[in-house]
Amino acid sequence: MKAKLMGIVNVTPDSFADGGEFLDPERAIAHGRKLAGEGADVLDVGGESTRPGAEAVPAEEELRRVRPVVESIAADGGPAVSIDTSKSAVAAAAIDAGASIVNDVTALRADPELAALCAERDSELILMHMLGDPRTMQENPTYDDVVEEVRAFLAGRIEYAVSAGVDEERIWVDPGIGFGKTVEHNLELHRRLGELAELGRPIAFGSSRKGFIGKLTGAGVDQRLGGTIASNVIAYANGARMLRVHDVGPMRHALTVAEAVLDPASRLDRASP
Ligand code: HH2
């Protein structure tokens, strides 16, 4: 099975890995185009950081950041565009500007109107698990069985989305690596990712440059590519079908090799012997 690569385009001053780098829309657009050239299948545009302790951003400001970026990269006609938001006003404007995927880290818990919007506009929808909210999520997260609790949460959120009219076939599920999880919780979710397949929906996965990689390796946030690749290859092997990463080029190479090993049929359409 092929997996999609989702390239991260953070139009924020405070994202944990690249905050401020692409706040200027022209730089964000150029970055999106670079990731498209490196083989991104999807570009995920976000205007609000969800790092631990991040402050909320008003919808008007979030929209001001993301709208020109979504408009330009969607108009290129390359990768699909995803909007990383929890707010229906931002999602609606992004869909108008050409986004076809809504990536909501709150899994429709933050804005009561977002589910209906996704249903009405027939957008794809990523539902992610998070314990608490970004301000509090890393304060001693505790589970009896992290995988079972994430699975049960996502089952409930699928049910909610479908009851609001979202086509179940349009839904992705995401374990929310780093969102209210210790290093051990994150590792357990890697090992037992396959259990989320019971939900019957494809799995999206986001571990790029995250804190658990730094804690395991001692690497600073811009030195976590090796750890990111290991994490994502394992997630792919265990069933993830959308990998959300900052470094699309190296991850594309890693995924091509992983696919060739684990899914020999994926090579049949390639010209090289
Ligand atoms: N992680 C982040 C943001 N959005 N969406 C999904 N579906 N899955 C994730 O794991 C995920 C996500 C956090 O990463 P990043 O965008 O790099 O940082 P920030 O939230 O600080 O902008």
Side-chain angles (χ1 to χ4, degrees):
M1 264 294 277
K2 290 232 167 221
K4 290 179 193 280
L5 279 187
M6 173 185 261
I8 301 171
V9 182
N10 280 325
V11 198
T12 57
D14 56 346
S15 285
F16 79 95
D18 53 5
E21 254 186 89
F22 310 112
L23 186 57
D24 168 44
E26 288 311 317
R27 292 186 68 169
I29 293 162
H31 185 61
R33 289 181 177 146
K34 172 176 174 278
L35 299 183
E38 291 174 356
D41 301 291
V42 178
L43 293 172
D44 189 39
V45 181
E48 177 177 43
S49 173
T50 52
R51 77 184 151 73
E55 287 302 323
V57 177
E60 305 74 54
E61 171 61 14
E62 198 180 326
L63 204 46
R64 197 184 61 74
R65 294 177 186 172
V66 298
R67 195 192 331 237
V69 179
V70 172
E71 252 167 23
S72 289
I73 59 181
D76 289 343
V81 178
S82 157
I83 179 71
D84 188 352
T85 191
S86 308
K87 301 186 184 80
S88 55
V90 176
I95 293 168
D96 287 342
S100 59
I101 305 171
V102 173
N103 175 22
D104 180 10
V105 297
T106 75
L108 304 176
R109 289 177 297 160
D111 184 334
E113 287 166 33
L114 187 54
L117 176 81
C118 293
E120 211 175 277
R121 306 298 297 269
D122 201 27
S123 55
E124 286 183 62
L125 173 63
I126 303 173
L127 299 173
M128 195 198 79
H129 175 270
M130 171 173 20
L131 190 66
D133 64 56
R135 273 174 294 111
T136 59
M137 64 190 181
Q138 288 307 104
E139 292 167 9
N140 191 28
T142 308
Y143 304 84
D144 286 330
D145 179 335
V146 64
V147 180
E148 177 45 31
E149 286 170 51
V150 165
R151 194 203 56 74
F153 169 88
L154 291 171
R157 300 321 293 165
I158 293 172
E159 203 175 299
Y160 171 80
V162 170
S163 74
V166 176
D167 178 355
E168 191 163 352
E169 295 297 307
R170 310 286 279 163
I171 296 174
W172 294 77
V173 291
D174 185 325
I177 295 296
F179 285 86
K181 279 111 186 163
T182 61
V183 172
E184 283 312 316
H185 295 141
N186 290 317
L187 298 178
E188 189 74 3
L189 283 163
H190 282 70
R191 285 185 204 109
R192 294 170 53 201
L193 194 66
E195 292 177 33
L196 299 186
E198 288 164 27
L199 294 165
R201 301 307 312 141
I203 300 168
F205 187 86
S207 64
S208 188
R209 301 185 188 172
K210 283 187 178 171
F212 77 98
I213 298 172
K215 288 194 179 129
L216 289 169
T217 62
V221 77
D222 54 354
Q223 296 295 320
R224 296 180 186 164
L225 179 56
T228 294
I229 288 178
S231 159
N232 279 277
V233 166
I234 289 168
Y236 167 71
N238 288 343
R241 291 297 172 260
M242 175 101 76
L243 304 172
R244 181 181 183 277
V245 294
H246 298 88
D247 303 285
V248 169
M251 193 63 228
R252 172 53 73 197
H253 290 171
L255 185 59
T256 299
V257 174
E259 285 170 344
V261 173
L262 297 172
D263 177 22
S266 73
R267 296 185 66 221
L268 293 179
D269 54 351
R270 295 219 172 81
S272 54

